[in-house]
Amino acid sequence: MMFSPVHRFRDIERKPEYLHPEKCIPPPRPGSLGTMWFIRDGCGIACAVITWLLVMYADFVVLFVMLIPSRNYIYSVINGVVFNSLAFLALASHFRAMLTDPGAVPKGNATKEFIESLQLKPGQVVYKCPKCCSIKPDRAHHCSVCKRCIRKMDHHCPWVNNCVGENNQKYFVLFTMYIALISLHALIMVGFHFLYCFEEDWTECSSFAPPTTVILLILLCFEALLFLIFTSVMFGTQVHSICTDETGIERLKNEDPTWERTVSWAGMKAAFGGDFSLNWFNPFKSVTSKTDLSPATPASETTSGGREGCSEGCSQELDDCEEEKFTTSHRLMEPPADFKGNLKSTSGL
């Protein structure tokens, strides 16, 4: 009789010592490593730098090719102020999304002391991540790029060099919205500038030579059109995830909700930090997380299978512990003080 990997892993999970709390290094004290959050990923850093350079290129073309040479002073001032204000808010939102802790679970907290402090009841389930040695709260997923478990992780986006989680989703939504707005604004200005140059002398509608002007405007047009489509799709996807209280990973894995959903307008208020106001559009206004950090869930709840994936347009290096997917969750049938009991397998991380 042949045994499947499920049966072999279940034989391992019946051993109560599988949690190995003694092998986990206690997490560092808060503040010992500083409060700065930054992911040292070469691809993500390159994508973030490219994002800033593309915005700066668009600003250069808008100012020095279209607005400054224009004879209409009011038109130039109004469009210059609007475009640069939106570009500033876009870069500020990108900065906050990149440098804000998305909701990382303390690394190495799967210690004996921490498990005992949970005061779990018999029949409750505890999920341990073997990669970062952490007790995973409900709806947390491990990111192989950030090398941490992230609460309410939606996806890892290289363009902001960070995961999108419960603490920085607002900034990511604002980033996509402001980029879409400046892209649309740039397209409209390029259209008007082409019409103006066709009616007038090309040598007078720009301070650059006509061939250079055409090349710069065409490149800006392609950039604006591409990012308008991309960020509009991402913005709509994120708003849909907030309104349905379902992250991109949960949607791809088709997980049955085991949590009380905060949907529609209540979800928007939770994600943006309060009732509707101008602070919703302010990337400098922080959001206070109110997520329950308890890692325990009732034993009757199950986790559906699937791999942690990415939202549209963004990429993520998937967690490489797929072969250990049956050994990452544990059912403690007895109080965890003596670590006795049976362990329950699951097909999801």
Side-chain angles (χ1 to χ4, degrees):
M1 178 178 179
M2 297 181 64
F3 292 92
S4 67
V6 176
H7 293 90
R8 291 197 296 269
F9 281 124
R10 283 177 177 173
D11 290 338
I12 298 174
E13 289 176 350
R14 289 194 181 97
K15 301 177 182 179
E17 63 273 9
Y18 182 74
L19 275 172
H20 296 311
E22 69 282 354
K23 294 184 179 181
C24 289
I25 302 175
R29 295 180 180 179
S32 61
L33 298 179
T35 57
M36 182 74 172
W37 176 272
F38 182 75
I39 303 302
R40 295 176 177 84
D41 175 59
C43 177
I45 295 174
C47 289
V49 172
I50 291 174
T51 301
W52 281 63
L53 292 177
L54 290 174
V55 174
M56 292 178 183
Y57 169 78
D59 192 52
F60 169 79
V61 176
V62 167
L63 289 178
F64 295 98
V65 177
M66 293 189 288
L67 296 183
I68 293 180
S70 176
R71 298 176 183 177
N72 192 331
Y73 179 76
I74 297 178
Y75 171 85
S76 299
V77 170
I78 293 177
N79 282 280
V81 170
V82 171
F83 185 86
N84 281 277
S85 298
L86 293 175
F88 172 76
L89 291 172
L91 293 180
S93 300
H94 181 273
F95 191 80
R96 292 299 304 272
M98 180 173 59
L99 299 182
T100 298
D101 182 350
V105 178
K107 197 171 185 177
N109 68 351
T111 61
K112 180 179 179 180
E113 292 75 14
F114 180 77
I115 297 175
E116 289 176 345
S117 68
L118 296 178
Q119 298 181 347
L120 301 176
K121 299 178 181 179
Q124 285 187 305
V125 177
V126 174
Y127 299 89
K128 174 193 172 185
C129 176
K131 308 299 289 185
C132 57
C133 206
S134 300
I135 297 297
K136 298 170 65 174
D138 193 21
R139 306 184 70 183
H141 297 271
H142 184 86
C143 174
S144 296
V145 180
C146 298
K147 295 180 175 58
R148 297 288 291 274
C149 287
I150 307 298
R151 296 190 299 270
K152 290 185 67 175
M153 175 181 169
D154 186 87
H155 66 284
H156 184 93
C157 180
W159 295 104
V160 298
N161 189 34
N162 201 1
C163 278
V164 178
E166 68 173 4
N167 291 346
N168 67 342
Q169 189 171 30
K170 168 190 173 179
Y171 310 125
F172 184 76
V173 172
L174 292 181
F175 167 66
T176 57
M177 181 185 73
Y178 287 129
I179 290 294
L181 289 177
I182 64 174
S183 299
L184 178 61
H185 190 194
L187 282 174
I188 294 174
M189 286 191 291
V190 168
F192 277 112
H193 197 74
F194 267 119
L195 293 176
Y196 171 74
C197 290
F198 281 131
E199 295 176 356
E200 301 291 336
D201 188 356
W202 275 88
T203 59
E204 297 181 2
C205 70
S206 175
S207 57
F208 294 88
T212 304
T213 300
V214 172
I215 292 175
L216 292 174
L217 290 177
I218 291 178
L219 289 177
L220 176 60
C221 187
F222 275 110
E223 176 193 343
L225 183 61
L226 176 64
F227 276 89
L228 174 61
I229 298 174
F230 173 73
T231 54
S232 296
V233 171
M234 289 303 302
F235 175 78
T237 302
Q238 289 299 302
V239 172
H240 178 266
S241 295
I242 293 174
C243 291
T244 58
D245 195 17
E246 184 180 39
T247 66
I249 291 178
E250 292 163 351
R251 184 168 59 252
L252 289 175
K253 295 174 67 174
N254 196 26
E255 292 185 353
D256 296 326
T258 59
W259 59 91
E260 183 179 355
R261 286 188 169 181
T262 306
V263 297
S264 301
W265 194 246
M268 294 293 291
K269 291 194 292 184
F272 284 83
D275 294 329
F276 179 78
S277 67
L278 290 178
N279 285 326
W280 278 28
F281 308 98
N282 182 8
F284 301 101
K285 179 65 175 179
S286 300
V287 178
T288 303
S289 175
K290 297 182 180 180
T291 301
D292 182 13
L293 303 183
S294 173
T297 56
S300 60
E301 298 175 356
T302 60
T303 304
S304 61
R307 298 182 66 179
E308 299 171 5
C310 307
S311 183
E312 300 176 24
C314 287
S315 63
Q316 176 193 357
E317 180 185 351
L318 300 179
D319 191 9
D320 55 0
C321 56
E322 183 74 10
E323 294 182 354
E324 299 184 53
K325 62 183 179 181
F326 297 103
T327 66
T328 57
S329 63
H330 314 277
R331 180 179 179 181
L332 305 181
M333 301 304 294
E334 299 291 335
D338 54 358
F339 300 99
K340 293 181 179 180
N342 297 323
L343 301 177
K344 177 184 176 182
S345 66
T346 182
S347 59
L349 293 177

